[in-house]
Amino acid sequence: MFTLALKNIFYYKARSITTFILTFISTLLFIVYVSMMDGSHNSMLENSLKIYTSAIEIYKKGYRDEGGYEYYLENVDTYKNKIKTIEGIKNIAARYETYGLLSYKDNSSASLVVGIEPEAEADISTLKEALLKGSYLEENSGKCVYMGVDLVKKLSLGLGNEFSFIGGASDGSFAADIFELCGVFKTGMNEFDAGASFISKKYLDDLMYSKNKASYIVVSVKDLEQVDVINQEITARLNNGNLESLTWKTLMDTMVEAMEVDSIFGYISLALFMVVIFFVIMIYGFINVSARIKEIGVLRSIGVSKKALFKLLSYEIVILTLAALVFAVPIATYITYYYSLHPIVIEGIAEMYKDYGVVSDEIPFNFDLFTVAWNSAVIFLLNYISIFYPYIYVNLFTPLEASRHV
């Protein structure tokens, strides 16, 4: 049957070439498109995680819903010491968040002012890497403030300028000070750059009476795939019903849902494309089999069973599909690998999609051999299924009817 299948492939050239080309194109597009879609989602996630949201964050229950001084963590060092030896944790830091009014000459603006541990924070987020001009913070940098570029423009500040801060301390009292602009950052996230400023937590603790207190603790991990396991260990070590340890999946649930919805629409679009390809291949197979009814009738008359006939059609589609995959898969794999290392750059795309967390003009690809494998398997399966209707149709004829078919 295998030899007969090979002869049929070369004899019915039009059908063979059409099936080969359609399979080649659909495989190439499917692998490249899924790689680009996964790469975009991974990039959005990584950008958001690196800029400010961490892999795991530890809160006092109620802080994320209610906020306020009564929900600040106390004895922060104790909590950090309890979890720092957990396998898989990369770094731990405390953040103290407050809102205040910043004023310089005739300009004023509200700002999220965050007290951070500069050295640990540099290992958790990309705040230090986002430095645009000036300098990043140090533990003893005092009243130096590291501010978003758009907030700097709003206040018309220059490096070295002093400006006033008014806010509320952790005990509910009034807090005011004179800060100095020492560094400017740009993350590409518009709202963040227009409203956030950072200062050494050591200095802010004296101003806010917040020593050993924090709004929450952030934890980075070595392998993001292990975040759930590490989070379970953190919860067990803390063993405190007043605390909640949340992973990025909960902290960024809106983005995760948006990416899932985007993936669903992406796969629906691909499914429609695949359905078209499937029916085109099936129709060509049907036309081919219809033209061979007499030939098949003769085969059945000389003793070829229905099972052998199915094997013949299977050999034909498998050979054609594998031939197309042999060419398409290496090309598609190379494209996804190359563009995962050298992303396509479209100037201005970040400005268009900044509300969705896109902070780069690059279109990233995700190179994953498992994805390439299952994409190829889907194409193979669709092609194989396409022979069932032609097979059922040709078996509606008895051997005698088929052999007399014109």
Side-chain angles (χ1 to χ4, degrees):
M1 283 298 148
F2 183 79
T3 305
L4 184 58
L6 278 177
K7 289 180 179 177
N8 286 336
I9 288 172
F10 287 106
Y11 184 77
Y12 300 103
K13 291 185 179 64
R15 175 249 183 173
S16 301
I17 292 172
T18 303
T19 302
F20 177 88
I21 292 175
L22 288 173
T23 305
F24 176 85
I25 293 174
S26 57
T27 304
L28 192 69
L29 290 179
F30 192 34
I31 293 174
V32 172
Y33 181 81
V34 171
S35 171
M36 186 173 67
M37 186 169 65
D38 289 347
S40 298
H41 290 164
N42 291 342
S43 178
M44 288 167 61
L45 181 61
E46 287 175 3
N47 286 333
S48 300
L49 282 176
K50 286 178 180 177
I51 290 173
Y52 197 58
T53 304
S54 188
I56 298 172
E57 297 184 356
I58 302 167
Y59 295 87
K60 186 173 182 178
K61 284 184 177 177
Y63 179 79
R64 297 182 74 235
D65 297 325
E66 304 294 335
Y69 307 126
E70 60 271 32
Y71 294 104
Y72 281 171
L73 292 174
E74 298 187 3
N75 301 316
V76 173
D77 291 340
T78 303
Y79 298 138
K80 290 166 68 177
N81 289 331
K82 280 186 177 180
I83 64 174
K84 67 180 182 182
T85 57
I86 293 176
E87 183 74 22
I89 286 181
K90 186 178 177 185
N91 216 328
I92 306 169
R95 289 176 182 164
Y96 183 94
E97 290 185 346
T98 187
Y99 288 88
L101 182 67
L102 307 182
S103 300
Y104 177 68
K105 295 183 178 178
D106 296 332
N107 302 312
S108 297
S109 179
S111 171
L112 168 67
V113 180
V114 188
I116 58 173
E117 298 170 333
E119 187 175 344
E121 190 70 42
D123 201 31
I124 293 175
S125 68
T126 55
L127 283 175
K128 186 177 181 179
E129 297 172 22
L131 175 68
L132 186 64
K133 58 183 178 179
S135 60
Y136 181 64
L137 299 173
E138 296 178 358
E139 183 178 0
N140 296 312
S141 56
K143 62 181 182 180
C144 279
V145 169
Y146 189 57
M147 186 179 289
V149 61
D150 294 329
L151 183 57
V152 170
K153 291 177 182 175
K154 195 183 300 182
L155 294 172
S156 300
L157 282 169
L159 287 176
N161 287 157
E162 292 186 333
F163 57 95
S164 64
F165 162 78
I166 300 175
S170 65
D171 61 352
S173 63
F174 184 74
D177 202 351
I178 300 297
F179 292 156
E180 177 184 344
L181 181 65
C182 296
V184 181
F185 66 82
K186 181 180 181 180
T187 63
M189 297 185 74
N190 196 40
E191 292 185 7
F192 193 70
D193 291 345
S197 49
F198 297 86
I199 189 169
S200 170
K201 188 174 184 299
K202 183 179 180 181
Y203 181 83
L204 196 65
D205 283 347
D206 292 333
L207 179 65
M208 295 295 184
Y209 304 113
S210 57
K211 188 173 179 57
N212 210 14
K213 293 182 181 179
S215 302
Y216 56 96
I217 296 171
V218 290
V219 180
S220 63
V221 298
K222 296 174 183 175
D223 183 1
L224 209 55
E225 297 291 331
Q226 299 297 316
V227 69
D228 290 326
V229 176
I230 296 170
N231 192 48
Q232 289 177 4
E233 181 65 22
I234 289 174
T235 303
R237 290 273 186 101
L238 293 176
N239 191 27
N240 188 326
N242 291 322
L243 303 179
E244 57 182 357
S245 181
L246 307 174
T247 69
W248 63 270
K249 297 173 186 175
T250 303
L251 298 167
M252 302 173 64
D253 56 342
T254 304
M255 175 174 283
V256 172
E257 289 176 4
M259 289 192 298
E260 289 175 347
V261 171
D262 187 64
S263 293
I264 290 171
F265 280 107
Y267 282 115
I268 288 175
S269 301
L270 274 176
L272 293 174
F273 173 74
M274 293 300 171
V275 166
V276 173
I277 297 292
F278 169 77
F279 277 105
V280 171
I281 292 175
M282 188 188 74
I283 289 169
Y284 267 88
F286 175 76
I287 293 172
N288 176 267
V289 169
S290 298
R292 295 162 56 191
I293 290 177
K294 189 171 184 178
E295 171 194 326
I296 292 171
V298 172
L299 290 174
R300 293 285 310 282
S301 298
I302 61 176
V304 174
S305 65
K306 290 182 178 180
K307 185 178 179 181
L309 180 61
F310 182 76
K311 189 181 291 184
L312 172 65
L313 296 178
S314 297
Y315 276 138
E316 291 178 9
I317 195 67
V318 168
I319 292 170
L320 286 170
T321 303
L322 289 179
L325 292 179
V326 164
F327 287 94
V329 171
I331 294 173
T333 302
Y334 176 76
I335 291 174
T336 57
Y337 176 71
Y338 178 82
Y339 285 114
S340 68
L341 298 178
H342 310 286
I344 298 171
V345 177
I346 300 178
E347 297 291 341
I349 194 173
E351 184 64 25
M352 292 172 58
Y353 294 103
K354 61 187 178 185
D355 292 337
Y356 299 95
V358 176
V359 296
S360 170
D361 289 335
E362 296 178 346
I363 297 180
F365 284 69
N366 179 52
F367 175 68
D368 184 355
L369 288 176
F370 176 74
T371 302
V372 172
W374 77 258
N375 289 174
S376 306
V378 168
I379 299 293
F380 181 87
L381 184 63
L382 284 175
N383 276 21
Y384 191 73
I385 293 173
S386 71
I387 67 168
F388 280 84
Y389 179 68
Y391 170 74
I392 293 170
Y393 172 75
V394 78
N395 278 298
L396 294 176
F397 298 89
T398 63
L400 185 60
E401 289 173 336
S403 60
R404 293 176 176 175
H405 192 271
V406 180

